[in-house]
Amino acid sequence: MHSKLPNIGTTIFTVMSSLAVQHQAINLGQGFPDFPMDERLTDLVAKAMRDGHNQYVHMCGLPSLRERIAEKLNTAYGSQVHSDTDITVTPGGTYAIYTAFTTILQPGDEVIVFEPAYDSYIPNIEVNGAKAISIHLEYPDYSINWEKVREKINDKTRAIIINTPHNPTGSVWSEKDIAELRQTVAGTGIYIISDEVYEHLIFDGKTHLSILKYPDLAARSFVCFSFGKVYHCTGWKLGYCVAPEPLMKEFRKVHQFNCFTCNSPMQHALAAFMEHRDAYLGLGAFLQQKRDFLQQQLTGTGLKPLPTYGSYFQLYSYEGLSEATENEFAIQLTKEAGVATIPVSAFYKQPVDNKVIRFCFAKKEITLEAAAERLRRYLI
Ligand code: PMP
Ligand code: GLN
């Protein structure tokens, strides 16, 4: 077969989760919580099913859910998102990003991608016949060198994909980044795809700078969100994309012949549940505590935490502990210490070896404690 993605293997998340199962390792690799989701929400799903909400809902998403989403965004970000024209509910944030790329890309187009990057971005670009132009974030704080970005912009640049809070590094955009982005795209037809799935998973008093806060940038943006991250239900695979009407019109042309519409009882349940703002407003503090707990548990192992200000993740450097590559080290820890992590090199097209691995701390304390104990036993 003539592969459309000849150089792509199996995603690292599946590789490491399978290895974890095989070696009975504690899985701090793939990003998913092991604590239960809110029972009020599961009850609402059961109720929606019992009430007979089991048939197709509107192709763009249940209207009442889109209304709740618009209210939430407009309150949180001061935006003017319209529920009828600017929002489409999707089967997850990843699908929203893929559909946004498919909506705008023509063969030969270029897209600026910051690496390390969530591993779906580059294959999404390439499967559309376009080219990813990689710019490395500056190690160790993973900041953006905007001069380098501007050097890469040319007539073929169709889009920039951004992600804050950032997976895998936990870096978070500042107002300076927004100003630089504005200056970079001014006077161009460049689209922005903004991956904001970790909008509420933000720590240390930082504020999430959604693209929706900036009308001039929002006018050229597809902003992607995930319910899985906000409500501890990654397996639901439900999210949404927000874009101004002319862009969303094109997005919906692609969407309607791909999945057409998403799971109906869950949309009914979410529409009823979204009034509980406490469910997401407390998320940052809840996860920050877990981040700090894991850090404290790993003291003395020689693993050095790099700062993280958001997401489920923290990078740890193992410099001085091992000469192994990141991939080798992550496999070794899974097999020999019984703890799975993710090598950060997997988030680069051309592997970069800074000797850092990613830990997911969105776990029960008992899980983090047990993993840290195994690591202490192995590393000290
Ligand atoms: N973007 C990033 C950076 C992520 O980490 C995830 C989590 N898997 C997603 C998008 C998409 O999430 P989902 O498709 O599960 O809603
Ligand atoms: N976003 C999750 C992570 O980074 C995984 C999602 C997936 O498995 N595709 O770990």
Side-chain angles (χ1 to χ4, degrees), residues 92-94 97 118 121 163 167 195 197-198 226 229 234 237-238:
T94 311
I97 295 163
Y118 183 53
Y121 300 164
N163 172 216
N167 180 4
D195 179 347
V197 301
Y198 297 107
S226 170
K229 298 291 168 349
T234 61
K237 292 301 296 186
L238 213 54

Side-chain angles (χ1 to χ4, degrees), residues 76-365:
Y77 304 125
S79 50
Q80 301 225 315
V81 170
H82 299 287
S83 63
D84 279 347
T85 51
D86 307 350
I87 300 171
T88 299
V89 176
T90 61
T94 311
Y95 172 103
I97 295 163
Y98 176 81
T99 306
F101 277 133
T102 304
T103 303
I104 57 174
L105 292 179
Q106 304 285 346
D109 284 349
E110 294 184 357
V111 181
I112 304 274
V113 181
F114 298 106
E115 289 189 312
Y118 183 53
D119 75 342
S120 72
Y121 300 164
I122 293 180
N124 282 184
I125 294 164
E126 292 179 347
V127 84
N128 279 294
K131 191 171 170 201
I133 304 297
S134 297
I135 295 175
H136 287 192
L137 298 172
E138 309 275 309
Y139 183 78
D141 64 351
Y142 295 99
S143 57
I144 297 174
N145 180 331
W146 284 97
E147 274 318 307
K148 282 194 191 162
V149 182
R150 284 187 277 273
E151 278 166 21
K152 299 282 186 186
I153 302 280
N154 63 54
D155 290 350
K156 292 194 208 135
T157 313
R158 179 74 56 219
I160 301 182
I161 178 152
I162 64 174
N163 172 216
T164 182
H166 185 252
N167 180 4
T169 69
S171 64
V172 161
W173 273 41
S174 63
E175 287 286 2
K176 180 175 175 293
D177 291 306
I178 297 284
E180 294 275 12
L181 176 66
R182 178 174 283 129
Q183 189 193 331
T184 305
V185 297
T188 73
I190 295 173
Y191 295 105
I192 298 163
I193 298 181
S194 186
D195 179 347
E196 303 187 13
V197 301
Y198 297 107
E199 64 180 322
H200 298 299
L201 283 59
I202 191 157
F203 320 133
D204 302 328
K206 301 255 181 209
T207 306
H208 172 57
L209 300 184
S210 173
I211 283 296
L212 296 173
K213 282 180 137 182
Y214 310 93
D216 59 323
L217 294 175
R220 55 168 86 224
S221 299
F222 295 85
V223 189
C224 303
F225 298 94
S226 170
F227 286 116
K229 298 291 168 349
V230 178
Y231 296 116
H232 310 320
C233 52
T234 61
W236 280 22
K237 292 301 296 186
L238 213 54
Y240 53 97
C241 181
V242 180
E245 185 173 356
L247 273 55
M248 187 45 80
K249 221 169 144 187
E250 293 300 312
F251 180 101
R252 288 173 174 177
K253 289 185 192 172
V254 179
H255 166 72
Q256 70 180 341
F257 296 125
N258 193 0
C259 92
F260 176 61
T261 183
C262 299
N263 184 303
S264 126
M266 279 147 182
Q267 292 192 62
H268 279 274
L270 284 165
F273 191 66
M274 278 186 79
E275 70 181 65
H276 299 292
R277 295 177 71 227
D278 59 299
Y280 53 85
L281 293 180
L283 260 183
F286 173 72
L287 280 158
Q288 178 175 330
Q289 208 178 355
K290 293 187 179 296
R291 174 199 68 179
D292 296 346
F293 181 76
L294 180 64
Q295 251 185 57
Q296 174 237 319
Q297 288 284 312
L298 292 177
T299 312
T301 56
L303 291 166
K304 287 181 214 71
L306 271 55
T308 179
Y309 301 104
S311 81
Y312 281 157
F313 309 114
Q314 180 146 30
L315 303 189
Y316 281 77
S317 163
Y318 61 90
E319 186 99 60
L321 279 179
S322 168
E323 288 302 313
T325 64
E326 292 175 3
N327 207 38
E328 288 164 354
F329 192 65
I331 291 172
Q332 192 182 320
L333 284 188
T334 310
K335 289 185 176 169
E336 296 171 19
V339 178
T341 59
I342 303 283
V344 176
S345 53
F347 296 82
Y348 290 88
K349 190 162 181 184
Q350 306 296 337
V352 165
D353 193 17
N354 287 319
K355 309 251 175 279
V356 277
I357 50 176
R358 189 194 80 174
F359 283 78
C360 172
F361 52 75
K363 305 288 173 191
K364 295 182 223 155
E365 279 201 357

